[in-house]
């Protein structure tokens, strides 16, 4: 056990307060105008339904792997494989989104100081992925502590942004509110939903958290609450100070450009835009670190359950980290950085999150029916209304994601089906039925593990 309640909470916040604010705000405003504020608020409500389901499942099934681990305990092996395959891909594609967001903001940071950094943005994105993969490969504790420090810094920076912005924001910028029509809310919500899936990452490292049956539900709910409040304040200030049209035109650097108009100069750092660009660099790096952790833990859980090659489900004998799972996840992340445009990356990550959350909510209902007496330190309020609303909202948002993204998603699922059949023929897939709920396995130490 190496992660405290604070560390676990910061893993979730680190992933959620990153790309959503600094990379996707401008894109969301481009779709729905000032109503993007409502899109973020509604996404916060939608994600809360599923977060409550995660909290109950995490308290009842304290195992690494997040949504995949829960579905593996409740459904047959093929269904669990689809869940794990989509969650794994979600984290990897989100990693490429955060890496590209980091590169844009890092270059913007240099521009503010009059420095034009050499090379293409994609090279900086690749460098960020390689660096964080190396950190996670060497030490889980180091990456977790680093995540906590980085996340606290970026929350402080956003606090400064909001404090100055609330005095300068003009509510007239929100009139008219629905410049693109009320239905534009749905595609904006679909694009930005990825910003609210970080709490799932907390559940992927369950066995590495102190007292997980208590701390994991708390960390999930705390991270969602803090994130929704921060998002609404920052988006309100950004639209109220820069205006929807200018914000939409700023793209991935929208928040930094909004700060330029109202924040004073600071010692050493310089202008407010420089401070926000600095915060954006921190935020995207912490989000990237969080999904490197999450993607590798899902691959690790699938390997341990023999749904992917067993080697992925082992800790390295020397570093005590799932090294093989980290490296395989990094390869897909690096490829996505190079070949997939950032808007497609955002849509893909959101779509797979929505599909995965539908299954998780249904898993909660099924587990309640199958094992009503299972010990649940945390229980979802207003059951079964809450998970049913979670399913309905996620289905609705998924229907408004563009057809091209659906084609790519189906292609990835078909590829996964081919992998599953190949592993089945080789006898590498474990039992097909759902296992009984088990006590979590202790993490092996370097001396105990024979890689």
């Amino acid at each position: 056990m190496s992660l405290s309640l604070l560390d676990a909470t910061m893993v979730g916040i680190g992933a959620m307060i990153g790309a959503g604010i600094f990379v996707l705000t401008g894109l969301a405003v481009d779709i729905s105008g000032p109503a993007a504020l409502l899109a973020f608020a509604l996404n916060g409500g939608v994600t809360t339904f599923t977060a409550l389901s995660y909290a109950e499942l995490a308290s009842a099934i304290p195992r690494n792997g997040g949504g995949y681990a829960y579905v593996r305990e409740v459904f047959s092996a093929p269904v669990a494989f689809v869940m794990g395959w989509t969650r794994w891909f979600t984290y990897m594609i989100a990693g490429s989104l955060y890496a590209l967001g980091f590169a844009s903001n890092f270059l913007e940071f240099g521009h503010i100081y009059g420095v034009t950094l050499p090379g293409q943005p994609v090279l900086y994105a690749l460098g960020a992925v390689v660096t964080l993969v190396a950190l996670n490969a060497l030490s889980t504790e180091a990456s977790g502590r680093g995540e906590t420090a980085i996340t606290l810094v970026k929350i402080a920076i956003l606090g400064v942004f909001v404090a100055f912005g609330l005095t300068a924001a003009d509510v007239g910028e929100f009139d008219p509110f629905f410049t693109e029509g009320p239905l534009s809310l749905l595609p904006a919500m679909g694009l930005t939903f990825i910003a609210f899936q970080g709490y799932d990452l907390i559940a992927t490292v369950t066995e590495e958290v102190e007292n997980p049956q208590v701390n994991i539900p708390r960390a999930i709910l705390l991270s969602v609450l803090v994130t929704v409040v921060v998002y609404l304040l920052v988006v309100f200030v950004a639209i109220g100070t820069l205006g929807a049209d200018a914000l939409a035109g700023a793209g991935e650097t929208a928040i930094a450009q909004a700060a330029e108009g109202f924040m004073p100069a600071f010692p050493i750092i310089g202008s407010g835009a420089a401070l926000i660009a600095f915060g954006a660099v921190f935020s995207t790096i912490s989000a990237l670190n969080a999904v490197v952790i999450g993607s590798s833990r899902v691959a690790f859980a699938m390997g341990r359950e023999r749904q992917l090659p067993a080697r992925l489900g082992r800790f390295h004998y020397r570093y005590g980290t799932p090294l093989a799972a980290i490296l395989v996840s990094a390869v897909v992340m690096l490829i996505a950085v190079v070949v997939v445009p950032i808007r497609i990356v955002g849509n893909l990550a959101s779509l797979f999150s929505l599909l995965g959350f539908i299954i998780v909510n249904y898993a909660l209902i099924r587990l309640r029916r199958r094992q009503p007496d299972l010990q649940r330190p945390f229980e979802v309020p207003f059951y079964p209304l809450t998970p049913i609303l979670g399913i309905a909202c996620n289905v609705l948002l998924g229907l408004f994601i563009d057809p091209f993204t659906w084609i790519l998603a189906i292609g990835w699922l078909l590829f996964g089906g081919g992998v599953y059949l190949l592993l089945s023929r080789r006898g590498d897939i474990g039992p097909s039925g759902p296992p009984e709920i088990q006590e979590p396995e202790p993490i092996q130490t370097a001396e105990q593990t024979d890689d």
Side-chain angles (χ1 to χ4, degrees), residues 48-389:
T48 299
F49 295 133
T50 305
L52 288 167
S53 293
Y54 264 92
E56 177 174 319
L57 290 167
S59 70
I61 310 172
R63 292 171 65 81
N64 270 1
Y68 165 73
Y70 312 143
V71 172
R72 182 69 188 100
E73 298 283 2
V74 178
F75 295 98
S76 62
V79 176
F81 178 85
V82 171
M83 178 65 182
W85 189 253
T86 56
R87 296 310 297 156
W88 188 29
F89 187 73
T90 299
Y91 295 137
M92 292 185 292
I93 203 74
S96 67
L97 170 68
Y98 301 153
L100 290 167
F102 159 77
S104 298
N105 283 287
F106 186 63
L107 293 175
E108 177 69 15
F109 189 61
H111 288 157
I112 291 172
Y113 289 105
V115 178
T116 301
L117 296 170
Q120 296 297 314
V122 68
L123 295 178
Y124 294 93
L126 293 173
V129 173
V130 171
T131 301
L132 290 176
V133 164
L135 177 64
N136 279 275
L138 295 176
S139 170
T140 297
E141 187 169 3
S143 59
R145 301 293 182 191
E147 182 72 21
T148 300
I150 291 173
T151 302
L152 289 173
V153 168
K154 70 183 180 185
I155 289 176
I157 291 174
L158 289 173
V160 174
F161 175 83
V162 170
F164 284 103
L166 286 176
T167 63
D170 178 7
V171 294
E173 297 290 352
F174 292 89
D175 186 22
F177 193 62
F178 293 106
T179 56
E180 308 299 326
L183 287 180
S184 66
L185 276 176
L186 292 170
M189 289 175 67
L191 172 67
T192 57
F193 189 75
I194 180 61
F196 295 93
Q197 61 106 32
Y199 59 85
D200 174 66
L201 291 170
I202 299 170
T204 66
V205 295
T206 294
E207 293 167 48
E208 295 158 73
V209 175
E210 300 164 356
N211 193 11
Q213 289 178 299
V214 174
N215 284 337
I216 292 294
R218 288 178 178 174
I220 288 173
L221 298 178
L222 279 172
S223 65
V224 170
L225 176 64
V226 171
T227 299
V228 170
V229 171
V230 171
Y231 264 69
L232 294 183
L233 289 172
V234 170
V235 174
F236 173 79
V237 166
I239 296 175
T241 54
L242 190 60
D245 291 340
L247 204 62
E252 297 94 319
T253 61
I255 302 299
Q257 293 196 26
E260 187 70 46
F262 65 86
M263 290 184 71
F266 296 91
I268 302 176
I269 293 179
S271 67
L275 179 66
I276 294 303
F278 181 68
V281 170
F282 259 73
S283 297
T284 47
I285 278 291
S286 69
L288 176 57
N289 184 53
V291 295
V292 168
I293 295 173
S295 61
S296 61
R297 295 319 188 269
V298 172
F300 166 79
M302 295 181 74
R304 187 170 63 178
E305 297 290 344
R306 293 183 57 203
Q307 291 215 308
L308 284 177
R311 186 173 181 78
L312 297 180
R314 297 175 188 163
F315 286 99
H316 190 269
Y317 74 98
R318 180 175 180 183
Y319 305 123
T321 60
L323 182 62
I326 291 171
L327 295 179
V328 171
S329 303
V331 169
V332 178
M333 213 175 286
L334 290 169
I335 293 173
V337 165
V338 175
V339 302
V340 186
I342 192 166
R343 187 183 287 266
I344 297 297
V345 167
N347 277 330
L348 265 176
S350 291
L351 178 57
F352 275 116
S353 287
L354 292 165
L355 296 177
F357 289 171
I358 291 169
I359 300 175
V360 167
N361 279 297
Y362 183 56
L364 172 75
I365 296 172
R366 186 167 171 137
L367 187 63
R368 284 265 192 135
R369 292 178 176 175
R370 280 186 56 208
Q371 300 193 45
D373 299 326
L374 182 68
Q375 184 180 5
R376 295 173 172 85
F378 175 84
E379 292 191 353
V380 167
F382 307 113
Y383 175 87
L385 180 62
T386 306
I388 289 174
L389 284 174

